[in-house]
Amino acid sequence: MHPISPIRLLQCLLLLLGLTLGWMSVAGERGPVIPKGKGDRCVADTDFMRRNHMDLIVHQRDETVIRGIRDEPFSLVECVDCHAQRDANNEPIRVDAEGQFCASCHTFVAAKIDCFGCHAAVPDGEDQERADGGHWLPNKQLAAFRPHKAAPLKSSVRSTVSSDHDELSSDASE
Amino acid sequence: MIDHLRYSTLKPSRLSYFLVLLFCAVFVGIGGYSALTMEHAGHIITGMNNHIVWGLPHVFAVSLIVAASGALNGASLASVFGVSHYKPIARLSVALAMSLLVGGLLVLVLDLGRPDRLIVAMTTYNFRSIFSWNIFLYTGFLVIGAWYLWMMLEKRFNRYTLLAGRIAFAWRIVLTTGTGCIFGFLVGRNALDSALLAPLFVALSLVMGTAVSVLVMIMLDRWRSVLIDKQLLDSLQRLLVWFLLALLYFSVVHHITNLYVSEHHDVERYMLLGGLSLTFWLGHIVIGVLLPLSLLVFRSASVSDCKRLAISSLLGLLGGSALLYVVIIGSQSTPQDLFPGKTVLASTFGDAGFPAYQPSVWEWGLGFGGVALAMLLCLLLLRILPLLPELRASLTASPE
Amino acid sequence: MLPNKAQAARRLFLQRLGVFSAATALPALLSSTVDAQSSTKGVSSAQRWGLLIDTSKCASGCDACVRGCHEEHGINSTGNEHTDAQWIRKIDLQNNLSGQKSSLPMMCQHCESAPCVDVCPTGASFKRADGIVLVNKHTCIGCRYCVMACPYKARSFIHEPISDQKSWAPRGQGTVESCTLCVHRIDAEKDQQPACAVACTDEAHSAILFGDLNDPDSDIVKAMANQPASQVRSDLQLNTGVRYVKL
């Protein structure tokens, strides 16, 4: 056996130190705390929304800007409507403010949001109760979204769609 | 034929080399800081507004881009036109052209409202837009330049130098025409609506490119204690005369056209007699054309060829930038005439004339940052690639 | 019975006829399905929205349309008219010969061959199927070439950060914007009018008439049949969607 060079030893120690520090920095975190939106549910399954909301928004954005289709459930206005919280004075809080719906996750994963430099981050007008969280999107419609020009659903995402929405799962496995 | 030329990299020998390096680095830093500040605060901190939407950064950027195309002259003359005394500066000329283009493009990009969306500009194209063509012309120029340089550097590929040189020559003419057309095809602007801007820009590129090449060449030869080839000096002086005459010719024709067309009178008056008259007459005509022309034509014996050429080049550069300032700022400085035969009594947004443009310190910072970056890039290329001829010393061995 | 040769020739002729008719019918068939699709959802080229502005009804000193537009789109003045967004502006004119004075609002003319659409490098400046010229701010890089190209000075670059936008009118720093012909209203419901037209009517001037230029029965086309309407800078032949009476 040949002796370990001091340089190599130092390198190993530094690597160990780096790994320890890195682990310590994330160990305390439990992930972002996301404020709950209005109603019981979002326009689609939570798992699906977490993975695909950006594609849905981009898809809807092109539909709206270019083809003038504005009454669809995936519009950013609808997002803000349901997910903006209210402060003690019942004033709406920006969804991109610290700890709020969009910012909590996006800060955690360090992904910049480019929406609210232009778009309103608070709902217009009075606070309206929403029992069902607005439209529930039929799975058939979700499937129809897939072949369109926006990014296709990734296979890993499909498999994680919860099993109580069978229709979506079967669509995804085709 | 000077086939036995040997090339080497630039060796740091003088203090001035490090000073220039430091100077450039500082200005690149200033430019970067200006760009960041502009992106954060918005264009509100510049002198630009909704009348003058293209300001000083565009003058810098277009100057650099136009000079880049012209800087290729040395290489074109050597490989395409076979003028042998240009061969020693052929490699330098390509490296300089590429550096200047990168500097200019960076200024252009950092002056965008959303520079973070550059990826959009590189992935979505509208082919009716001359701007889109120019994106291809610029990137193409860099690719062809790199290829050209490679063919010159690698001995076994030397036989392709002529081909590369021809393609590069054609490409740069198209590139400058394209840059001119960005301005020339704007039907809504009376000062610009003319295809004459394309040849004007080509002539301008020849003047500015030659001028930059001369200054860089003289600087490098000072550092390396090399005397410049007398033949080359002579040829460059004669060339610059012709280029300056061509520039003056197209400039005069452009303005005569505008003076002839009565709907262009207002903007002509502004450029020739109004707010920009000093920049036009003193900057473009006197400093930029007449002074260097008279220096180069009536060669005074008391000034050395090298000094005369350096001074004329410096003047040509200043004058060229002044002309671009008049073209870019001047064209936006007068109201667009929407109602012929009617006088605008009042308008909530300056249809009857509006305040002059005053560039802010951030615009100067960004502009000079681009120039410094081009310089720095060129020095870097010279430092890592054998672009400078070793034999020039022996060619001009006679001590002064 | 025909000789073999003639029979072969006839067969060839019939074959070619079949191919030819199929080839001619196919595009028509395709386009009809596309039309059917676009008419059910989204904008369609069956309409072309436009404005007719009667300068004789427009009052000098009245800026109701400008205020209406600004309120609708959340455009707040910063006090600097040179850097503020200017979607619509009022201009007072005097005829050099007759001395006759007139007043009119000027905004994006929604040209059919729009110079701003031509020059935009990314295609962010675009014309919708129904003729409305818009900026897709998601792909606008803020190069301002469209501002340079617009003959009407109808476009504005946003020079500073903006807050308190309306949910229906996203606006932000570093992009270019202009009159949208209140596209959010037109898309939302039938028979909606742009904010400027509503404001003008509320002021009892009714100088701005909005409608479908492709519909021969629309008020705007009927009004244009009654009195000659002209385009600003008609020399450029841009076929503007905004026309002026008694210009």
Side-chain angles (χ1 to χ4, degrees):
Chain A
M1 252 178 69
H2 49 83
I4 301 166
S5 82
I7 302 265
R8 178 55 53 87
L9 196 67
L10 195 67
Q11 282 175 343
C12 289
L13 277 174
L14 276 177
L15 183 69
L16 205 64
L17 184 72
L19 285 175
T20 317
L21 284 176
W23 179 77
M24 278 165 68
S25 67
V26 291
E29 301 248 5
R30 290 252 171 87
V33 179
I34 306 165
K36 198 182 168 304
K38 283 182 202 166
D40 306 328
R41 57 191 189 185
C42 192
V43 290
D45 194 83
T46 306
D47 262 347
F48 182 85
M49 288 308 290
R50 279 190 185 159
R51 284 170 178 80
N52 298 296
H53 66 277
M54 64 299 264
D55 294 335
L56 296 171
I57 291 170
V58 166
H59 176 74
Q60 180 61 45
R61 142 201 136 170
D62 291 342
E63 291 282 283
T64 305
V65 175
I66 296 161
R67 299 186 57 211
I69 298 169
R70 283 167 201 275
D71 55 350
E72 298 292 305
F74 289 133
S75 83
L76 195 63
V77 178
E78 294 279 316
C79 300
V80 173
D81 248 12
C82 275
H83 289 289
Q85 306 290 303
R86 300 255 162 182
D87 66 9
N89 302 325
N90 205 30
E91 289 295 314
I93 311 171
R94 292 179 67 96
V95 285
D96 62 341
E98 198 191 330
Q100 293 303 302
F101 182 75
C102 297
S104 57
C105 246
H106 274 263
T107 312
F108 183 73
V109 298
K112 191 187 164 205
I113 316 174
D114 200 16
C115 302
F116 301 108
C118 292
H119 285 276
V122 290
D124 286 300
E126 290 298 299
D127 191 14
Q128 283 164 3
E129 272 304 317
R130 292 197 110 150
D132 61 346
H135 313 255
W136 173 260
L137 210 70
N139 292 328
K140 220 182 272 171
Q141 222 169 320
L142 271 186
F145 156 75
R146 197 176 348 136
H148 213 282
K149 67 170 276 283
L153 306 181
K154 295 178 189 79
S155 56
S156 64
V157 173
R158 293 175 199 173
S159 60
T160 55
V161 171
S162 58
S163 56
D164 48 308
H165 298 296
D166 285 334
E167 201 181 334
L168 182 62
S169 310
S170 63
D171 279 346
S173 61
E174 71 189 24
Chain B
M1 282 294 285
I2 322 177
D3 264 343
H4 54 279
L5 271 177
R6 281 170 54 102
Y7 293 85
S8 65
T9 57
L10 176 67
K11 307 275 185 307
S13 52
R14 298 269 185 105
L15 179 66
S16 57
Y17 167 80
F18 292 102
L19 284 179
V20 167
L21 224 54
L22 183 73
F23 190 72
C24 289
V26 167
F27 268 94
V28 169
I30 292 174
Y33 182 68
S34 306
L36 270 179
T37 316
M38 268 168 71
E39 196 194 344
H40 186 73
H43 279 62
I44 192 77
I45 59 167
T46 69
M48 289 176 249
N49 49 46
N50 279 325
H51 311 292
I52 312 280
V53 287
W54 283 355
L56 195 66
H58 270 77
V59 177
F60 271 97
V62 176
S63 296
L64 283 165
I65 290 168
V66 158
S69 149
L72 208 71
N73 271 347
S76 298
L77 283 165
S79 16
V80 182
F81 298 98
V83 186
S84 62
H85 45 265
Y86 279 93
K87 189 148 188 228
I89 63 161
R91 294 181 176 185
L92 167 67
S93 125
V94 180
L96 183 62
M98 290 169 68
S99 313
L100 288 169
L101 188 68
V102 171
L105 286 183
L106 206 66
V107 175
L108 208 59
V109 164
L110 291 175
D111 182 51
L112 292 176
R114 296 294 305 255
D116 53 321
R117 287 194 188 150
L118 186 63
I119 189 74
V120 177
M122 304 303 280
T123 49
T124 40
Y125 294 104
N126 164 26
F127 285 105
R128 285 184 68 86
S129 165
I130 299 162
F131 229 58
S132 274
W133 306 353
N134 273 277
I135 293 172
F136 283 101
L137 290 175
Y138 297 149
T139 45
F141 186 83
L142 290 177
V143 171
I144 291 171
W147 177 56
Y148 190 10
L149 207 54
W150 183 24
M151 296 302 106
M152 285 198 276
L153 284 168
E154 188 115 21
K155 199 146 207 141
R156 62 199 161 111
F157 292 144
N158 278 176
R159 59 205 157 98
Y160 297 116
T161 307
L162 179 62
L163 176 70
R166 279 182 179 156
I167 293 176
F169 179 72
W171 197 273
R172 52 164 283 206
I173 298 288
V174 178
L175 182 143
T176 329
T177 307
T179 312
C181 288
I182 287 183
F183 299 93
F185 290 171
L186 293 173
V187 289
R189 304 261 173 192
N190 282 340
L192 295 177
D193 180 18
S194 160
L196 263 176
L197 281 170
L200 179 72
F201 271 52
V202 174
L204 186 65
S205 91
L206 294 172
V207 171
M208 293 186 80
T210 309
V212 177
S213 306
V214 162
L215 291 173
V216 170
M217 203 175 70
I218 290 175
M219 180 181 76
L220 290 172
D221 287 349
R222 278 276 158 82
W223 285 346
R224 303 176 333 129
S225 312
V226 174
L227 287 178
I228 303 175
D229 182 9
K230 177 89 179 73
Q231 245 186 322
L232 183 61
L233 273 184
D234 232 39
S235 167
L236 279 169
Q237 292 189 73
R238 269 180 285 124
L239 216 53
L240 203 51
V241 169
W242 284 113
F243 292 163
L244 285 166
L245 285 174
L247 178 62
L248 185 64
Y249 170 76
F250 283 114
S251 184
V252 167
V253 174
H254 180 219
H255 284 286
I256 286 181
T257 314
N258 277 350
L259 285 171
Y260 196 77
V261 180
S262 59
E263 65 169 329
H264 296 182
H265 282 176
D266 281 345
V267 78
E268 256 330 86
R269 195 172 300 123
Y270 186 81
M271 288 193 197
L272 303 185
L273 304 171
L276 283 176
S277 52
L278 196 67
T279 320
F280 179 82
W281 291 110
L282 188 67
H284 167 48
I285 297 294
V286 176
I287 294 179
V289 179
L290 297 182
L291 224 57
L293 259 185
S294 51
L295 273 174
L296 293 167
V297 173
F298 312 109
R299 299 186 185 183
S300 153
S302 59
V303 188
S304 75
D305 276 346
C306 190
K307 202 169 267 173
R308 185 186 310 118
L309 192 56
I311 294 171
S312 329
S313 297
L314 203 62
L315 293 175
L317 268 186
L318 286 174
S321 306
L323 171 64
L324 283 173
Y325 192 91
V326 173
V327 167
I328 296 175
I329 310 295
S331 61
Q332 307 169 69
S333 292
T334 41
Q336 284 166 276
D337 192 10
L338 297 182
F339 308 100
K342 292 195 170 108
T343 307
V344 176
L345 298 177
S347 164
T348 50
F349 179 48
D351 285 278
F354 35 82
Y357 164 70
Q358 195 71 49
S360 80
V361 62
W362 306 110
E363 293 167 81
W364 286 106
L366 178 61
F368 278 118
V371 177
L373 182 91
M375 227 41 242
L376 213 55
L377 270 180
C378 185
L379 288 177
L380 184 77
L381 282 174
L382 290 170
R383 190 80 186 77
I384 56 174
L385 293 173
L387 304 177
L388 293 168
E390 278 178 348
L391 268 179
R392 291 242 301 285
S394 67
L395 281 176
T396 57
S398 60
E400 221 168 8
Chain C
M1 199 153 146
L2 290 156
N4 263 352
K5 215 171 173 183
Q7 209 173 13
R10 192 180 61 173
R11 194 175 298 138
L12 191 68
F13 170 72
L14 285 174
Q15 267 174 4
R16 282 183 181 163
L17 189 72
V19 169
F20 176 72
S21 49
T24 44
L26 202 63
L29 213 67
L30 279 177
S31 67
S32 70
T33 53
V34 168
D35 277 348
Q37 211 171 28
S38 58
S39 62
T40 53
K41 228 176 189 192
V43 294
S44 123
S45 53
Q47 277 102 31
R48 185 182 177 205
W49 301 115
L51 295 173
L52 183 65
I53 295 165
D54 191 337
T55 61
S56 63
K57 293 179 184 167
C58 179
S60 165
C62 169
D63 64 347
C65 52
V66 180
R67 279 183 283 115
C69 172
H70 285 185
E71 203 173 309
E72 176 76 11
H73 300 100
I75 301 173
N76 303 315
S77 170
T78 61
N80 184 352
E81 61 162 296
H82 304 296
T83 51
D84 278 346
Q86 304 277 356
W87 290 18
I88 175 170
R89 63 188 192 271
K90 273 300 300 286
I91 304 177
D92 289 350
L93 295 167
Q94 182 169 34
N95 191 307
N96 290 345
L97 268 180
S98 65
Q100 189 195 21
K101 290 181 182 176
S102 57
S103 186
L104 54 85
M106 173 54 64
M107 70 289 272
C108 172
Q109 303 287 293
H110 299 281
C111 314
E112 188 191 6
S113 4
C116 58
V117 174
D118 281 351
V119 300
C120 177
T122 65
S125 188
F126 73 106
K127 187 165 57 93
R128 271 183 12 155
D130 57 2
I132 300 178
V133 175
L134 293 175
V135 179
N136 184 346
K137 279 171 222 179
H138 304 106
T139 46
C140 172
I141 55 172
C143 73
R144 284 106 76 205
Y145 199 11
C146 58
V147 188
M148 288 293 285
C150 176
Y152 305 102
K153 216 175 158 186
R155 290 219 155 167
S156 298
F157 179 66
I158 302 307
H159 287 76
E160 50 202 315
I162 292 181
S163 56
D164 300 329
Q165 292 94 333
K166 306 284 186 196
S167 71
W168 55 85
R171 309 174 50 234
Q173 180 196 326
T175 55
V176 170
E177 53 189 43
S178 58
C179 158
T180 64
L181 216 58
C182 284
V183 77
H184 57 284
R185 287 174 168 235
I186 298 172
D187 288 344
E189 270 174 78
K190 232 178 150 28
D191 301 327
Q192 279 274 14
Q193 299 274 315
C196 55
V198 173
C200 192
T201 308
D202 287 351
E203 206 77 4
H205 291 142
S206 298
I208 305 178
L209 185 60
F210 168 80
D212 180 3
L213 297 172
N214 281 354
D215 177 5
D217 298 325
S218 66
D219 291 346
I220 189 168
V221 173
K222 283 181 191 157
M224 281 166 78
N226 286 337
Q227 41 195 161
S230 47
Q231 311 176 46
V232 176
R233 288 225 60 177
S234 54
D235 57 319
L236 297 175
Q237 304 200 351
L238 302 173
N239 188 4
T240 58
V242 178
R243 305 284 173 114
Y244 292 82
V245 174
K246 303 199 182 89
L247 184 64

